[in-house]
């Protein structure tokens, strides 16, 4: 399997309740936490990146646009939790992707 066959689904729908502010858009090096995650995926050769948003939707989607990613909004993120976001992302990946890599949006060192 080639990296062109793999779509990345980035889970970024959390509400950052414990942090008290949207952690995905916090500074990280020369970018943000989410920006670094997307950069890492691009560096691994993944071109098709889909970010599932929910909490802090506008801030997260603005950040994704800066990194040429695609977004899908999970309107049920608060009630369905992470599993609902995984399912939302899987429903939206192109049929040409035979595989998906699911990553967390708040793990910039992975």
């Amino acid at each position: 399997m080639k990296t062109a066959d793999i779509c990345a689904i980035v889970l970024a729908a959390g509400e950052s309740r414990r942090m008290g502010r949207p952690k995905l858009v916090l500074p990280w090096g020369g970018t943000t936490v989410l920006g670094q995650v997307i950069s890492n995926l691009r560096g691994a050769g993944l071109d098709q990146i889909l970010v599932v948003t929910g909490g802090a939707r506008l801030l997260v989607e603005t950040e994704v646009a800066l990194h040429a990613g695609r977004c899908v909004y999970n309107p049920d993120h608060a009630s369905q939790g992470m599993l609902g976001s995984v399912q939302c992302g899987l429903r939206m990946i192109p049929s040409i992707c035979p595989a998906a890599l699911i990553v967390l949006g708040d793990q910039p060192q992975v």
Side-chain angles (χ1 to χ4, degrees):
M1 183 170 291
K2 302 174 290 224
T3 55
D5 296 331
I6 302 169
C7 292
I9 298 173
V10 180
L11 303 180
E15 296 181 0
S16 299
R17 278 187 230 127
R18 291 178 302 208
M19 178 67 79
R21 57 188 170 156
K23 63 184 165 188
L24 296 173
V25 295
L26 290 175
W28 186 272
T31 183
T32 62
V33 171
L34 182 58
Q36 185 63 55
V37 170
I38 294 171
S39 177
N40 292 346
L41 292 169
R42 295 238 187 264
L46 299 173
D47 293 324
Q48 298 191 57
I49 299 172
L50 177 66
V51 179
V52 182
T53 67
R57 177 184 183 185
L58 294 178
L59 288 172
V60 171
E61 289 182 357
T62 299
E63 184 65 25
V64 172
L66 294 173
H67 298 278
R70 290 186 320 137
C71 293
V72 60
Y73 175 65
N74 178 6
D76 300 316
H77 68 278
S79 63
Q80 293 181 344
M82 191 180 300
L83 177 59
S85 290
V86 170
Q87 291 170 332
C88 182
L90 288 172
R91 282 192 297 270
M92 297 304 295
I93 62 170
S95 59
I96 60 169
C97 283
L101 174 66
I102 299 171
V103 299
L104 302 177
D106 63 356
Q107 300 287 313
Q109 292 185 305
V110 173

